[in-house]
Amino acid sequence: MQFSSQAAADSRDEHDGTWPTKRSKILDWLIQDTREQRFIDNILVDLCERLRAAGVPVGRATLHFRTLHPQWLGARILWRTGLEEADITTFSYGVEKTPQFLSSPMNEIFNGALEVRQQLEQPGADGFAYALYDEMRAEGLTEYIAWPIYHTLGKRHIATFASDAPGGFTEEHVTFLKDLLPALTLVTEIRLKNILARTLLNTYVGPHASEQILAGATTRGSGTTVGAAILICDLRDFTTISDMWPRDDVIELLNGYFDAMSEPIEKHGGEILKFMGDGLLAIFPLSDPDACANLLQAINEAAAAVAALNEENSRIGREVLRYGVGVHVGDVMYGNIGSRTRLDFTVIGPAVNIASRLETLTKEVKRPVLLSKAFVDMAGCGSEMESLGAFPLKGLGERVDVFALTPAANRG
């Protein structure tokens, strides 16, 4: 088969491409040999050490990522000479409006700059444009470069490198570093997506359930039977509050209440499986021998937190919040339940139903926390409880012995 000279030229153009400018062992390593490393910070440390060994005088490097996290807008991973591990700093929402951020090279990049480059050895007559440059010069750094790195759908993150060699980077060094950016983009996006998946699952289903899902528990009906202390909590008179107060005030009230209840539960090893409107369902797996004691400690600390919240609510003229808690212990089915295309990772079973009925009973007996005899016996806390007698619970064939916290026990 004969090819025309033009076809041959077009074929060469098709195969030549423009990247990389020059092949390198570091580029090969980034593309081919980082697949076993899960964490971006470790990759950054390894990359910088390889750069220095190759003669590229990197004395400081950072990666800046915007994340989808309920608490953090983003994170900075920083390496400098002498650090065996990278330093990771998270930034809260709102940092992008602070004077410190607005007066920084990061702001330039996020606003569309394709490069920020600054020689650091000698400030100009008016000094440096950003305080960061003064800080880096004081550390002995001589030049700074920042570039955007683009993830899918144009999401813009940042990579920076600073030199500690006299005169800064040569143009050959800069070309070498630029050649790394496409590979660094691929490597970081994969890890960031992994972190994002884990973060979103932790946020919406809790840490243990997220581990189960990531390990492959995604089939409807898949699950296990576990022994657990069960806590169900519900806010009282929430419908009335919702009708009386503006939407934003109601959301703020509800978030404050959930913070007060949730933080002690998670602190003491409980797992919140779901928020149900103005209520929550949590379990303390009995694989921890202190599960029952931890649940009681969480209830006491939550009571103290809600009391503090109510003091603040009263001070600013908001509604005082009241709640009911039902506690039981037993075996639960822990796994995936739902339709073919929409699943909920939760717990079900008679033990959950009893905890729910006890929570409902708190409205009738006017006590904020009710516990079953089975839980009290397992926890060995009878001396701290007040027996209220046996009650019929809806849907159950026999009466259940019910206990309440004594005032001394409910001391926070």
Side-chain angles (χ1 to χ4, degrees), residues 181-203:
L181 294 180
L184 193 59
T185 296
L186 295 173
V187 168
T188 56
E189 178 159 21
I190 292 167
R191 273 71 183 180
L192 202 61
K193 286 288 193 294
N194 290 341
I195 293 170
L196 177 59
R198 193 172 298 274
T199 296
L200 290 176
L201 284 169
N202 281 345
T203 300

Side-chain angles (χ1 to χ4, degrees), residues 238 241-255 318:
F238 182 65
I241 293 172
S242 298
D243 291 340
M244 290 176 53
W245 290 88
R247 182 202 63 182
D248 290 348
D249 286 351
V250 171
I251 291 174
E252 190 171 345
L253 274 170
L254 198 57
N255 286 338
R318 285 182 175 169

Side-chain angles (χ1 to χ4, degrees), residues 18-52:
T18 60
W19 178 83
T21 304
K22 184 179 179 180
R23 293 184 59 181
S24 71
K25 290 182 178 179
I26 292 179
L27 198 52
D28 288 347
W29 165 78
L30 263 179
I31 292 294
Q32 299 178 16
D33 297 330
T34 57
R35 64 177 65 91
E36 299 299 326
Q37 178 52 257
R38 288 176 55 191
F39 302 110
I40 303 171
D41 53 313
N42 292 339
I43 291 174
L44 179 64
V45 171
D46 201 349
L47 171 63
C48 292
E49 290 174 348
R50 288 170 184 268
L51 286 169
R52 290 188 69 84

Side-chain angles (χ1 to χ4, degrees), residues 370-381:
L370 296 181
L371 313 96
S372 68
K373 184 176 186 298
F375 175 86
V376 170
D377 288 346
M378 180 170 286
C381 60

Side-chain angles (χ1 to χ4, degrees), residues 112-394:
L114 299 180
E115 178 181 275
V116 175
R117 186 172 180 181
Q118 178 64 50
Q119 179 272 335
L120 301 172
E121 289 181 302
Q122 292 296 330
D126 297 327
F128 291 123
Y130 302 125
L132 175 64
Y133 295 156
D134 291 299
E135 295 171 11
M136 288 192 291
R137 182 171 184 267
E139 294 175 14
L141 298 170
T142 57
E143 187 176 8
Y144 170 86
I145 304 178
W147 291 299
I149 52 177
Y150 297 97
H151 287 182
T152 304
L153 300 178
K155 295 187 184 299
R156 179 180 285 226
H157 308 283
I158 300 174
T160 81
F161 299 94
S163 173
D164 58 2
F169 295 118
T170 66
E171 290 308 309
E172 185 180 6
H173 293 150
V174 174
T175 299
F176 190 96
L177 292 172
K178 279 186 174 180
D179 260 356
L180 299 179
L181 294 180
L184 193 59
T185 296
L186 295 173
V187 168
T188 56
E189 178 159 21
I190 292 167
R191 273 71 183 180
L192 202 61
K193 286 288 193 294
N194 290 341
I195 293 170
L196 177 59
R198 193 172 298 274
T199 296
L200 290 176
L201 284 169
N202 281 345
T203 300
Y204 287 99
V205 302
H208 183 72
S210 70
E211 290 298 328
Q212 297 289 314
I213 293 168
L214 288 170
T218 57
T219 305
R220 183 168 62 162
S222 64
T224 57
T225 298
V226 298
I230 305 142
L231 181 155
I232 293 180
C233 180
D234 191 58
L235 190 63
R236 293 286 170 261
D237 304 320
F238 182 65
T239 301
T240 303
I241 293 172
S242 298
D243 291 340
M244 290 176 53
W245 290 88
R247 182 202 63 182
D248 290 348
D249 286 351
V250 171
I251 291 174
E252 190 171 345
L253 274 170
L254 198 57
N255 286 338
Y257 155 71
F258 278 135
D259 280 344
M261 298 300 301
S262 301
E263 289 174 9
I265 290 172
E266 293 176 334
K267 171 184 172 184
H268 291 287
E271 183 174 357
I272 298 171
L273 294 177
K274 63 169 62 182
F275 294 99
M276 305 169 290
D278 58 342
L280 64 83
L281 165 64
I283 62 170
F284 290 71
L286 296 180
S287 54
D288 181 350
D290 297 321
C292 293
N294 288 340
L295 184 151
L296 290 172
Q297 185 64 27
I299 286 176
N300 286 332
E301 291 183 14
V306 171
L309 177 65
N310 280 334
E311 286 184 13
E312 178 62 17
N313 286 339
S314 296
R315 187 184 68 78
I316 61 178
R318 285 182 175 169
E319 197 76 20
V320 170
L321 303 177
R322 298 181 302 110
Y323 61 88
V325 173
V327 177
H328 186 49
V329 66
D331 288 340
V332 295
M333 197 292 257
Y334 184 53
N336 280 306
I337 299 164
S339 70
R340 285 189 294 269
T341 58
R342 177 68 171 85
L343 298 175
D344 189 13
F345 207 92
T346 187
V347 292
I348 60 170
V352 179
N353 297 338
I354 291 174
S356 177
R357 303 293 187 268
L358 289 171
E359 182 277 315
T360 302
L361 185 64
T362 62
K363 303 173 188 177
E364 179 182 332
V365 301
K366 309 300 182 185
R367 301 295 286 268
V369 181
L370 296 181
L371 313 96
S372 68
K373 184 176 186 298
F375 175 86
V376 170
D377 288 346
M378 180 170 286
C381 60
S383 61
E384 301 176 22
M385 302 295 152
E386 177 185 349
S387 175
L388 301 184
F391 288 79
L393 299 181
K394 183 179 178 181

